[in-house]
Amino acid sequence: MHYVSTRGHTAQQNFSEILLGGLAPDGGLYLPQSYPQVSDDELTAWRQLSYADLALALLTKFATDIAPADLAAITAKTYVAGVYCNARPDDDASRITPLRILEEHDGRTLILQALSNGPTLAFKDMAMQLLGNLFEYTLARQDAELNIFGATSGDTGSAAEYAMRGKKGIRVFMLSPHHKMSAFQAAQMFSLQDPNIFNVAVDGVFDDCQDMVKAVSNDLEFKKRQKIGTVNSINWVRVVAQVVYYFRGYLSATTSNEQKVSFTVPSGNFGNICAGHIARMMGLPIDKLVVATNENDVLDEFFRTGVYRVRKSAETWHTTSPSMDISKASNFERFIYDLLGRDAVRVAALFKKVDTEGGFDLSGKPGSDGDEFKQIARFGFESGKSVHADRLATIRQVEKKYGITVDTHTADGIKVALEHLQQGVPMIVLETALPAKFNETILEALGRDAERPAGFEHIEALPQRFDVMSTDVAAMKSYIAQHTGL
Ligand SMILES: *Cc1c(COP(=O)(O)O)cnc(C)c1O
């Protein structure tokens, strides 16, 4: 299996070669040359598989340059019940991403698929845990080391740290805005005592942290000498790992391959739902893929109008579903590539226009950049939006009707899913975080605290290990050099 760039760079790369990298050299994103297809017989056989074996069956199609026995060891180690042990007491943790039927009557079926039972209580663990094990394996074979350097406002940074902690050949340097994360999120990251994890709390906001990462990464000589890498959401392995739970969800919700299901996905950078698109392109019988956004509705606007208009920082709202607060969707280019019939020249032109003019228009209206908006239905995409008042109402309604508490992002998903629910097609909403992570809003909605999984009761009281730094790029560089010894 070879990988190509959405902007046309064709030096064919295999899976291991793009594993540690980010963007393609031409600024595009990697995708497989063609999507492997899943046959009816395979799908039937996969109904019996454990999550780890299903992950192996799918990854074997994409990672053709890794020995199958090695891949089997990696997936077996990654997808074990002990790692995804934070399931609700009456959910089956051994299923890794257990389904819970919320409602089933008159042919209307609403299902929740729990993706947030991993160590950091958010769905990013599903992919990051695999990435950690694949990194360790690949680095050991190359006798190499890697220093991951990034900025986080919460979920990504902690998922990366929990995936990389204690891994040989890897260090993590993670910047976060000092005193800006929730107490729970800060405690999760800062309580890690592993010597290969370095938390740096920056006196500033998240954008300042990101600017520091950019400034350091632009020093190519430093980056090379210090073996700096990233784990951001455009990483192909993260996307492919997410394809697995769409298959698991479909296979668990159906008994025959004649049946279809739809998915609703709380979306920000379009990474999660991009994996759903790929599963559908591989032949998984998905009817609709419903994008749910919050007040930051870049994607909802596109799927309603065909106009992609990225937002400025001043128009990017801080909401109570903060992991969906984006101004542009970094994985969106992968879908646009398929929507344009894989015309890399046009994709390159459109995303250049995003940089220079802030967006593009595929509505087909006079003066637009194309008319592919009318093709969108063929790919199953629909969308909707949910705002703070909707989140509060949904959290209350879900607790009253179904007896469980959901987090704010999942509430956005459920609100939008109910607007797109169709008779005869089960709707699976992906649960992207557990409510304990966003307790402030649970308290506002329900007047009580969210349940905490066992082991998280006193997390804020654990000893914390982090360094505080100003937004000084030179000081950041010497901090890294001092700890890597390179
Ligand atoms: C990251 C995240 C999202 C958004 O996922 P994308 O892949 O960026 O679309 C939604 N909910 C939670 C809880 C997240 O952490």
Side-chain angles (χ1 to χ4, degrees):
M1 170 67 68
H2 285 109
Y3 291 84
V4 295
S5 162
T6 50
R7 299 196 190 173
H9 180 77
T10 50
Q12 300 198 330
Q13 305 263 26
N14 61 33
F15 186 86
S16 302
E17 284 165 330
I18 62 170
L19 179 67
L20 299 169
L23 291 174
D26 58 3
L29 277 65
Y30 285 113
L31 272 178
Q33 210 161 37
S34 62
Y35 293 119
Q37 296 301 299
V38 173
S39 70
D40 193 51
D41 288 347
E42 273 177 311
L43 207 51
T44 301
W46 289 358
R47 289 183 178 279
Q48 314 303 325
L49 298 184
S50 68
Y51 194 96
D53 287 340
L54 181 63
L56 175 62
L58 279 159
L59 275 166
T60 307
K61 291 180 181 282
F62 290 99
T64 45
D65 56 319
I66 297 183
D70 293 350
L71 213 45
I74 291 167
T75 49
K77 173 170 148 188
T78 305
Y79 297 112
V80 288
V83 175
Y84 302 91
C85 57
N86 300 308
R88 292 190 174 84
D90 48 346
D91 275 349
D92 180 359
S94 75
R95 305 287 295 168
I96 310 294
T97 62
L99 300 193
R100 169 185 286 257
I101 296 174
L102 295 182
E103 187 169 326
E104 192 174 33
H105 69 85
D106 296 341
R108 282 163 55 94
T109 309
L110 183 67
I111 300 173
L112 198 61
Q113 184 173 6
L115 307 182
S116 41
N117 296 337
T120 73
L121 316 186
F123 88 97
K124 294 192 173 67
D125 290 328
M126 295 304 305
M128 209 70 91
Q129 289 286 322
L130 180 73
L131 197 64
N133 288 325
L134 274 169
F135 274 6
E136 187 175 52
Y137 165 81
T138 308
L139 291 167
R141 283 166 61 96
Q142 298 170 355
D143 196 20
E145 55 184 307
L146 175 70
N147 294 308
I148 294 167
F149 181 42
T152 188
S153 55
D155 290 346
T156 307
S158 60
E161 292 186 354
Y162 279 78
M164 308 298 165
R165 61 189 293 202
K167 292 271 186 293
K168 281 192 276 308
I170 304 177
R171 293 183 197 84
V172 179
F173 295 90
M174 192 59 66
L175 308 188
S176 57
H178 197 23
H179 296 312
K180 301 284 191 314
M181 290 190 291
S182 75
F184 185 93
Q185 284 178 315
Q188 251 190 332
M189 290 178 56
F190 297 172
S191 63
L192 288 177
Q193 303 295 332
D194 306 75
N196 70 328
I197 303 294
F198 300 94
N199 280 303
V200 179
V202 174
D203 276 321
V205 295
F206 174 62
D207 283 339
D208 297 319
C209 300
Q210 251 186 337
D211 288 345
M212 284 172 78
V213 172
K214 272 188 211 145
V216 170
S217 303
N218 284 341
D219 182 344
L220 297 180
E221 195 270 328
F222 178 85
K223 198 175 159 193
K224 191 162 175 226
R225 180 159 37 90
Q226 293 296 332
K227 307 185 193 312
I228 302 278
T230 58
V231 288
N232 51 27
S233 82
I234 55 134
N235 181 290
W236 166 250
V237 182
R238 285 184 60 185
V239 176
V240 86
Q242 294 170 177
V243 170
V244 180
Y245 53 69
Y246 285 88
F247 276 84
R248 178 81 278 161
Y250 172 82
L251 294 169
S252 303
T254 59
T255 50
S256 127
N257 304 346
E258 304 299 311
Q259 292 167 280
K260 286 196 165 194
V261 306
S262 293
F263 286 92
T264 299
V265 186
S267 294
N269 272 317
F270 205 75
N272 196 348
I273 201 160
C274 184
H277 163 66
I278 291 166
R280 195 173 182 277
M281 297 295 277
M282 292 174 73
L284 188 67
I286 295 176
D287 188 24
K288 297 286 177 333
L289 285 165
V290 184
V291 178
T293 75
N294 65 15
E295 289 86 338
N296 297 293
D297 57 354
V298 192
L299 290 169
D300 181 43
E301 180 173 78
F302 176 79
F303 285 104
R304 277 186 300 102
T305 65
V307 177
Y308 183 58
R309 185 174 59 87
V310 305
R311 311 295 199 251
K312 302 192 177 66
S313 322
E315 303 170 314
T316 308
W317 318 118
H318 289 286
T319 75
T320 44
S321 45
S323 302
M324 292 156 61
D325 292 347
I326 53 104
S327 52
K328 59 175 154 186
S330 50
N331 274 288
F332 190 49
E333 186 168 336
R334 289 191 159 109
F335 169 64
I336 293 297
Y337 182 65
D338 286 337
L339 181 66
L340 299 187
R342 301 201 142 206
D343 182 341
V345 175
R346 275 188 71 204
V347 172
L350 289 183
F351 281 89
K352 195 160 172 215
K353 207 169 165 192
V354 170
D355 290 337
T356 56
E357 293 173 42
F360 54 76
D361 179 349
L362 296 176
S363 68
K365 296 204 177 115
S368 63
D369 303 294
D371 64 354
E372 277 78 6
F373 180 57
K374 65 175 192 285
Q375 307 282 345
I376 280 177
R378 278 205 304 128
F379 291 89
F381 275 98
E382 293 182 354
S383 74
K385 169 178 172 175
S386 159
V387 301
H388 182 70
D390 297 320
R391 284 191 276 286
L392 295 181
T394 305
I395 290 167
R396 289 185 193 121
Q397 182 197 340
V398 166
E399 140 139 304
K400 197 162 158 227
K401 265 179 101 173
Y402 313 126
I404 60 165
T405 316
V406 290
D407 102 290
T408 50
H409 307 75
T410 308
D412 288 330
I414 292 174
K415 188 265 180 184
V416 173
L418 287 168
E419 295 165 353
H420 291 261
L421 194 55
Q422 284 180 311
Q423 281 236 327
V425 185
M427 174 64 84
I428 302 178
V429 180
L430 299 185
E431 179 172 50
T432 55
L434 288 187
K437 275 199 114 158
F438 302 96
N439 189 50
E440 294 78 358
T441 309
I442 302 302
L443 199 55
E444 183 182 349
L446 302 177
R448 60 155 177 84
D449 288 325
E451 311 75 4
R452 284 194 178 189
F456 288 88
E457 295 87 353
H458 307 294
I459 184 169
E460 289 94 339
L462 295 174
Q464 300 195 349
R465 177 174 162 266
F466 64 99
D467 292 302
V468 181
M469 202 178 270
S470 69
T471 55
D472 179 344
V473 174
M476 188 66 235
K477 284 185 186 170
S478 50
Y479 180 93
I480 293 175
Q482 181 200 331
H483 287 102
T484 62
L486 292 171

